[in-house]
């Protein structure tokens, strides 16, 4: 499960990077999609860090 949690953290970080980059470089309406990726990626990354530090948090 640790590999899954690390993958969640990496997916969150890459999604945040894509969101910030996409907001400035894409045309409308694709910049809106990039802006929506930011909070979703933030939640995924933080959830991965939480589960990596406290594996039995939800049980």
């Amino acid at each position: 499960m640790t590999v899954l949690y690390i993958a969640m953290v990496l997916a969150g970080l890459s999604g945040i990077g894509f969101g910030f980059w996409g907001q400035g470089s894409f045309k409308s309406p694709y910049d809106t999609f990039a802006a929506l990726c930011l909070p979703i990626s933030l939640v995924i990354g933080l959830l991965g860090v939480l589960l990596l530090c406290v594996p039995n948090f939800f049980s």
Side-chain angles (χ1 to χ4, degrees):
M1 292 304 276
T2 305
V3 175
L4 176 66
Y5 303 150
I6 292 172
M8 287 174 66
V9 171
L10 293 176
L13 287 174
S14 64
I16 289 171
F18 167 75
F20 278 121
W21 173 76
Q23 283 180 354
S25 63
F26 291 155
K27 303 275 189 222
S28 182
Y30 301 113
D31 61 343
T32 307
F33 172 71
L36 289 175
C37 282
L38 279 171
I40 294 169
S41 299
L42 180 67
V43 168
I44 290 172
L46 288 175
L47 188 63
V49 168
L50 174 71
L51 290 173
L52 192 63
C53 294
V54 186
N56 296 324
F57 183 77
F58 292 115
S59 56

